[in-house]
Amino acid sequence: MTVTIVGSQLGDEGKGALVDIWGGDSDVVVRYQGGDNAGHTVVQDGTEYKLSLVPSGAVRGKVGVLGNGCVINPETLFEELDTLREQGLEPDVRLARRAHVILPYHRVLDGIEEEVKSDDDLAAGTTGRGIGPTYEDKAGRRGVRVGDLLDPDVLRDRLEYAVPQKRALAEEVYGLDVENSEHADAFDVEHLFETYREYGERLKSESMTVNAGEFLSNKHADGEELLFEGAQGTSIDIDHGIYPYVTSSNPTAGGAAVGTGVAPTVVGSGEVVGIVKAYLSRVGTGPLPTELDGTDSEEELADFIREKGGEFGTVTGRPRRIGWLDMPMLRHAARANGFTGIAVNHIDVLAGLEEINVGHAYELDGEELLTMPATTERWGECEPVLRSFEPWDDVDWAAVAEEGYDAIPANAREYLDYISSEVGAPIYAVGIGPGRDETVVLDNPFEK
């Protein structure tokens, strides 16, 4: 069995909690795209683990794999692993040798390019962690891969080819005085070679690298359960999202095959679970039709939801923008991913409000649309067609977690039924808090 966990909106849906819960029934948890720009917060036994790169299953003692579709900053990886060990865990993490490596010059260029784009309102709101430039080099066939770190001769060749180009870009296009800047080491071949050669030695000494497709396919053939973990969300997928305000990889379910080397027929024969936040949030720029940012009362409501829901980026700490649930976005996600089930998080955050709305459809040029237009410009012209729901009271959510789904307030269950009906998939779980014991589980996808 394989289970693929997918964000159905703009990221920040609370995927980590479900990966943590269902990861207990898996043998291997695999990240298939993204880098250390993806934040997961997992709470276990009252301890909070903030993960930006390590697969969430590591908290449950599972084998974690960073697939070939990931871009990996070794510095972040080792810092995170060392921190988890200080917290008493012994994470077993393997890296795909075909995964690409984030280097310091990627991070420098990411910041510069984002600043330039902001002048033309094209900034994607990146975390500045070098994700996009690393994927650019991957597509341009000038990247450094994890396997290259294991061979000093190959590593030197790759750096001697790429670094002069990056230095020229920084100096001649963006006007950075590299030699006299704080970023000089980021463009120094010898410094980079020695630093990343040492990373390669640690990877080799700890036997952390694998041929991911072969490794995972063998695990599957041996009857082991695989859980694929996507970062970010469907609407910031590079191919299916609100381009150019997107990430640089494919968070959608199709990315699970491409980003791991496991066959599409294997992924497609398993479960695909869409994670839904009961409202909308995002870090970054771009249109957001259901955003609460108009009147003073809307902004006050957004502040309330932001504070109650802890809507601040796990990686960056940036406050997230807040909006009502966007149903055309969810219908788009259901079609693009083929959800076999969904999990809805944060219904407790909406408890106690005087009004609850949903963007049921869009109005565009006098027509009603039930899904997202193909271009972001047209999406930005959409006006939400709101549908109101009866609010529900704030209750003892700990008691609800113990008693189960029927203890969820009736009006909240009507809201959940609506979401399930509109996306055409049953509800597998409902999140009513950040902890593992604060999720009401109706079905386990590994038992379907």
Side-chain angles (χ1 to χ4, degrees):
M1 168 64 80
T2 68
V3 174
T4 303
I5 303 294
V6 179
S8 64
Q9 294 153 303
L10 294 155
D12 309 321
E13 300 94 349
K15 297 178 290 297
L18 280 307
V19 171
D20 179 46
I21 289 170
W22 290 322
D25 293 308
S26 70
D27 298 293
V28 184
V29 179
V30 191
R31 277 277 305 275
Y32 58 82
Q33 47 77 224
D36 58 340
N37 60 333
H40 290 315
T41 301
V42 177
V43 179
Q44 176 173 280
D45 297 330
T47 301
E48 189 175 82
Y49 302 95
K50 289 187 177 294
L51 309 174
S52 62
L53 192 55
V54 171
S56 302
V59 175
R60 299 292 296 270
K62 307 300 177 178
V63 176
V65 177
L66 296 172
N68 54 278
C70 294
V71 290
I72 298 168
N73 185 332
E75 181 180 1
T76 301
L77 175 66
F78 288 128
E79 286 179 355
E80 201 163 295
L81 289 173
D82 291 342
T83 298
L84 291 173
R85 286 168 182 149
E86 289 171 3
Q87 291 179 288
L89 301 180
E90 287 297 330
D92 182 357
V93 177
R94 316 295 178 90
L95 281 62
R97 295 189 190 111
R98 289 186 170 95
H100 279 249
V101 177
I102 300 172
L103 287 114
Y105 53 75
H106 291 128
R107 298 172 71 111
V108 175
L109 291 171
D110 197 0
I112 296 173
E113 291 172 1
E114 186 75 352
E115 186 175 337
V116 170
K117 286 180 180 179
S118 67
D119 294 336
D120 296 318
D121 294 326
L122 293 175
T126 78
T127 58
R129 293 178 175 246
I131 309 298
T134 306
Y135 278 114
E136 287 179 33
D137 280 356
K138 174 180 179 176
R141 302 181 297 280
R142 55 180 172 269
V144 175
R145 302 199 294 180
V146 167
D148 300 335
L149 303 185
L150 309 179
D151 187 328
D153 291 337
V154 173
L155 175 60
R156 181 175 286 280
D157 286 345
R158 296 282 189 270
L159 292 172
E160 288 181 347
Y161 175 74
V163 174
Q165 296 181 39
K166 300 302 175 183
R167 183 172 183 133
L169 177 63
E171 292 179 334
E172 298 174 21
V173 176
Y174 295 119
L176 178 66
D177 183 0
V178 168
E179 200 62 42
N180 296 308
S181 77
E182 60 181 322
H183 305 300
D185 286 346
F187 299 90
D188 183 273
V189 171
E190 285 303 320
H191 174 78
L192 294 172
F193 174 75
E194 289 300 328
T195 301
Y196 283 78
R197 180 184 59 80
E198 289 180 9
Y199 288 141
E201 289 177 354
R202 179 170 176 180
L203 292 172
K204 186 182 295 185
S205 69
E206 298 184 21
S207 301
M208 290 179 63
T209 69
V210 294
N211 182 347
E214 179 183 34
F215 179 81
L216 295 170
S217 295
N218 287 342
K219 293 283 189 184
H220 185 261
D222 289 341
E224 297 196 23
E225 310 279 24
L226 307 182
L227 190 149
F228 298 112
E229 174 185 5
Q232 291 93 35
T234 297
S235 283
I236 54 173
D237 183 291
I238 185 105
D239 289 305
H240 305 289
I242 51 172
Y243 190 90
Y245 309 102
V246 292
T247 195
S248 301
S249 57
N250 295 110
T252 41
V258 176
T260 65
V262 174
T265 48
V266 173
V267 175
S269 64
E271 291 278 313
V272 178
V273 184
I275 312 303
V276 180
K277 183 174 283 184
Y279 49 92
L280 201 61
S281 71
R282 84 155 299 181
V283 168
T285 52
L288 201 63
T290 65
E291 185 169 14
L292 293 166
D293 68 343
T295 63
D296 289 344
S297 61
E298 281 191 348
E299 292 181 1
E300 183 177 335
L301 178 57
D303 286 339
F304 175 83
I305 293 173
R306 186 180 298 113
E307 291 295 330
K308 187 176 180 182
E311 295 297 344
F312 301 89
T314 301
V315 173
T316 64
R318 291 183 295 181
R320 295 171 182 149
R321 298 160 64 191
I322 304 295
W324 294 122
L325 186 68
D326 188 316
M327 194 52 64
M329 181 183 290
L330 288 185
R331 296 190 192 100
H332 169 70
R335 179 195 53 76
N337 292 288
F339 295 147
T340 57
I342 61 172
V344 183
N345 286 324
H346 280 17
I347 65 161
D348 57 307
V349 175
L350 297 181
L353 299 182
E354 294 182 0
E355 62 172 342
I356 293 176
N357 293 314
V358 166
H360 175 76
Y362 301 140
E363 184 176 320
L364 180 63
D365 296 337
E367 295 184 17
E368 185 174 273
L369 303 181
L370 294 178
T371 190
M372 300 174 74
T375 68
T376 303
E377 288 72 23
R378 293 290 281 167
W379 188 55
E381 295 170 3
C382 291
E383 292 294 330
V385 178
L386 298 178
R387 177 175 293 187
S388 297
F389 286 80
E390 289 295 322
W392 51 90
D393 293 333
D394 214 347
V395 296
D396 183 348
W397 294 103
V400 170
E402 289 184 9
E403 296 174 30
Y405 188 78
D406 289 342
I408 293 173
N411 289 344
R413 280 185 275 125
E414 288 185 16
Y415 186 79
L416 294 168
D417 289 344
Y418 163 78
I419 296 171
S420 175
S421 175
E422 292 296 322
V423 301
I427 294 176
Y428 284 178
V430 181
I432 54 176
R436 185 183 301 154
D437 58 353
E438 296 174 286
T439 300
V440 177
V441 177
L442 286 75
D443 278 302
N444 183 337
F446 280 108
E447 297 176 356
K448 302 298 285 184

